[in-house]
Amino acid sequence: MRIKLLLPLAASAAISVYAYDTPTMGWSSWNTYRVNISDSLIMKQADALVELGLDSVGYRYINIDDGYFGGRDKSSGRLLFHPTRFPSGLKPVVDHIHSLGLKAGIYSDAGANTCGNFWDNDTIARGVGLLGHEEQDCNLFFKEIGFDFIKVDYCGADGRQSHQIYAYEPRDRYTAISNAIKATGRDDVRLNVCRWNYPGTWVNDVATSWRTTGDISPRWESVKRIINENLYLSPYAGGGRYNDMDMLEVGRTLSAEEDQTHFAIWCMMSSPLLIGCDLTTLRPETLNLLKNTELIALNQDQLGLQAHVAKLSPENTYVLVKDLGEKWGTRRAVALYNPTDSAYTISVTAEELELEGVTAARDLIAHTDINITDGVLSAAVPPHGTRVYSITGTRRIPRSIYEAEQAYLSSYQEIYDPIATGTAFYFPLESASGGMVVANVGHTPSNDLQWRDVRVDCDGEYRLDLDVTGKADGNLLLFVNNEAAIKLPVEGEGPRRLSSTVRLNKGTNTVRIASTGTAPYIDRMTVNL
């Protein structure tokens, strides 16, 4: 059973800001050209990016995807380049990209063959993947040629998508590749893991970004699916590491409203922004959207946070929110997202946004300041549409309700069957407070659930109420910060509330849930302030 989220779903004063690498911005060749690329095409796109002023708003990487390979030298194993697409090799192309003040990206595979070899019948690309050539290829890419980024696909290691039909363990392959990059002496190379599902929490120590879904296509259903699959992955982004929702299809075949939603949600989610269309034929409205500096600022905010679901309506529209500038500060970004086929008015109160005394509000798409009446942000949002705002208040209100789907699961992964592997997962449940629960906590001490930012304004004793449902036995184990476990009996099957009084420190606390037996579905925690 492979569980993915494909259905509609329902501190202290601000801490110091740290300077992290922000999500990668640039252009990539795959969406429009697949393997049909050349040295002149890549350089022409790089020139166009600068001529259009896209570099001035943050787009800096020109990424050469699949299609440049020319096999390997039979005696040395050295990687060769396509004799007609890149007759002079890759170095002149990279030098040209660098001469424009840009950075250069490259592509490979964790296995023996690439996706283009298998799916596009690019036969010259047989045996050109990193498997068995990690050190050799990384030295070539990053020491000799000077690339600054690499996307590493997984077709050649997947078994189902390679001619060798070998299957490898993703953690092993990507760790070996990461170590080979580090061994070159380059500490500025960005590694993108392209395994098509969230690989597991281990990836944070290996890569800069990682794909969380299958490939995107220029259709609304594809964009909607990818947004849906990322709605509850905010605990796994931040600190210079990002969930990658795939390259942008903006400017191809989506409607203007869908393009706007696509770009705005990628910005809210802090996904890498890699343009996938032909830059030489950009329409003015597409260029204006891609150069919307107020939306880009959300994506490039130094906190690097991914927006989370703050509110789900019965109509399956969403309010997404994230902090800007300071964690637990008074300025937040808010998106009103309507994935449905009907128009709806979406509303959210300042209190639901954890803000008091709203002093400023701005429409980041229309570039206009707005007034919020009676503390309610409201907008009519058309089908497939999104409206995005920044909201500033006088005070941040401590949160009292912590949904389980906003918690970090230490063993979370989307590659293997979570029941078979004994790993916790997010699960849609209509009766849950936010339309979601966490299932399968327990089995091992590390397979836990953590709310890492439980914030209170004062030291003291607080009652925690834990809402659960479903069959269970044994005890839930409640840990607060580094204190000893509190046992909470959970026998039963229906909805029930477990309570315990604990000591919380002023500022942020960590509340962790583990289990000695079969854990129930975990719905939410309430901190009685």
Side-chain angles (χ1 to χ4, degrees):
M1 180 176 67
R2 176 175 169 270
I3 296 175
K4 296 287 291 180
L5 306 180
L6 300 178
L7 301 174
L9 311 169
S12 62
I15 63 172
S16 299
V17 177
Y18 295 92
Y20 298 116
D21 286 337
T22 55
T24 302
M25 295 177 62
W27 177 89
S28 186
S29 59
W30 180 257
N31 283 8
T32 295
Y33 300 104
R34 295 186 72 91
V35 300
N36 302 305
I37 58 175
S38 67
D39 48 9
S40 59
L41 183 150
I42 298 298
M43 289 189 286
K44 188 175 182 180
Q45 293 295 320
D47 292 339
L49 185 141
V50 174
E51 290 167 4
L52 293 169
L54 286 161
D55 59 326
S56 67
V57 296
Y59 297 94
R60 302 295 303 279
Y61 286 79
I62 299 292
N63 291 350
I64 304 170
D65 210 287
D66 207 346
Y68 68 87
F69 297 99
R72 289 191 182 275
D73 182 88
K74 292 183 179 180
S75 59
S76 68
R78 184 177 173 86
L79 192 65
L80 304 175
F81 305 120
H82 200 285
T84 56
R85 298 173 189 164
F86 292 86
S88 301
L90 295 180
K91 187 68 164 64
V93 181
V94 172
D95 287 347
H96 180 74
I97 292 170
H98 284 161
S99 74
L100 298 172
L102 304 175
K103 293 182 179 294
I106 195 59
Y107 167 95
S108 191
D109 195 283
N113 302 323
T114 72
C115 294
N117 169 246
F118 189 80
W119 293 106
D120 293 66
N121 197 32
D122 202 19
T123 56
I124 198 171
R126 184 71 61 87
V128 297
L130 286 160
L131 184 66
H133 297 275
E134 293 87 353
E135 181 179 351
Q136 185 179 39
D137 287 0
C138 285
N139 281 333
L140 173 63
F141 290 145
F142 308 118
K143 293 178 73 173
E144 292 186 38
I145 300 177
F147 282 104
D148 310 290
F149 171 101
I150 185 169
K151 167 187 167 185
V152 181
D153 228 328
Y154 211 73
C155 285
D158 181 44
R160 298 168 298 172
Q161 302 181 76
S162 69
H163 298 287
Q164 283 98 341
I165 319 181
Y166 295 149
Y168 295 88
E169 168 55 47
R171 182 172 188 169
D172 294 342
R173 290 300 306 126
Y174 284 112
T175 299
I177 293 163
S178 176
N179 290 338
I181 294 172
K182 294 173 184 175
T184 66
R186 293 279 302 276
D187 60 3
D188 60 334
V189 173
R190 297 189 176 196
L191 167 61
N192 176 264
V193 164
C194 188
R195 183 53 185 83
W196 325 302
N197 290 298
Y198 179 74
T201 53
W202 56 265
V203 77
N204 189 277
D205 297 324
V206 171
T208 305
S209 59
W210 43 82
R211 279 276 298 283
T212 56
T213 70
D215 286 358
I216 195 171
S217 64
R219 298 178 299 106
W220 168 247
E221 286 304 316
S222 175
V223 172
K224 177 181 174 180
R225 168 184 59 83
I226 288 173
I227 294 172
N228 198 43
E229 292 190 45
N230 279 271
L231 285 172
Y232 299 99
L233 294 182
S234 60
Y236 310 100
R241 301 289 186 267
Y242 303 101
N243 295 313
D244 178 9
M245 299 167 69
D246 205 359
M247 296 165 285
L248 295 168
E249 293 284 14
V250 171
R252 300 193 70 198
T253 62
L254 297 171
S255 70
E257 196 70 53
E258 290 164 351
D259 264 351
Q260 183 172 282
T261 287
H262 177 14
F263 187 68
I265 296 295
W266 262 239
C267 288
M268 284 289 292
M269 295 287 194
S270 292
S271 173
L273 301 177
L274 292 173
I275 302 168
C277 61
D278 179 357
L279 294 178
T280 67
T281 59
L282 270 187
R283 299 186 300 272
E285 59 270 25
T286 302
L287 181 61
N288 288 337
L289 177 61
L290 290 170
K291 293 178 73 173
N292 184 325
T293 55
E294 295 193 74
L295 290 179
I296 290 171
L298 305 184
N299 181 269
Q300 297 292 296
D301 183 77
Q302 287 294 318
L303 288 180
L305 300 179
Q306 175 174 316
H308 68 268
V309 176
K311 186 177 182 179
L312 168 65
S313 77
E315 296 80 23
N316 293 313
T317 64
Y318 296 85
V319 177
L320 306 177
V321 65
K322 70 174 180 177
D323 290 344
L324 294 175
E326 297 176 314
K327 197 168 184 182
W328 296 108
T330 57
R331 183 168 178 261
R332 312 199 80 191
V334 183
L336 309 182
Y337 166 53
N338 178 14
T340 77
D341 296 331
S342 302
Y344 287 104
T345 295
I346 305 176
S347 300
V348 63
T349 67
E351 184 177 4
E352 289 172 319
L353 298 175
E354 302 168 24
L355 292 175
E356 181 178 272
V358 173
T359 59
R362 184 167 175 82
D363 185 325
L364 303 184
I365 294 175
H367 306 297
T368 57
D369 295 330
I370 62 172
N371 295 318
I372 293 184
T373 304
D374 298 325
V376 178
L377 174 65
S378 184
V381 184
H384 310 174
T386 300
R387 300 295 180 262
V388 185
Y389 307 89
S390 65
I391 309 293
T392 303
T394 57
R395 188 176 80 90
R396 184 66 174 270
I397 303 172
R399 186 190 311 179
S400 60
I401 295 176
Y402 293 80
E403 298 287 354
E405 59 268 26
Q406 295 172 7
Y408 177 88
L409 309 181
S410 296
S411 298
Y412 186 62
Q413 54 82 32
E414 295 180 350
I415 295 177
Y416 305 113
D417 176 356
I419 302 299
T421 56
T423 56
F425 57 92
Y426 307 98
F427 187 74
L429 186 66
E430 187 175 350
S431 62
S433 65
M436 294 287 293
V437 293
V438 167
N440 216 37
V441 168
H443 309 292
T444 64
S446 63
N447 185 40
D448 61 7
L449 173 154
Q450 298 181 24
W451 287 288
R452 293 177 161 184
D453 289 312
V454 178
R455 174 179 174 261
V456 294
D457 286 341
C458 303
D459 293 339
E461 302 294 316
Y462 295 83
R463 191 181 83 239
L464 304 184
D465 294 330
L466 192 66
D467 292 329
V468 302
T469 190
K471 186 177 180 180
D473 57 52
N475 298 289
L476 281 185
L477 301 178
L478 172 67
F479 301 84
V480 177
N481 299 323
N482 295 318
E483 299 298 322
I486 299 171
K487 292 184 179 180
L488 303 174
V490 291
E491 288 82 0
E493 294 190 12
R496 49 207 185 275
R497 173 165 286 185
L498 314 174
S499 298
S500 180
T501 299
V502 303
R503 180 168 183 81
L504 298 178
N505 301 323
K506 178 181 178 180
T508 55
N509 300 264
T510 296
V511 175
R512 186 166 74 90
I513 304 293
S515 178
T516 61
T518 301
Y521 294 154
I522 300 172
D523 183 357
R524 69 179 186 179
M525 178 182 69
T526 302
V527 180
N528 292 275
L529 300 170

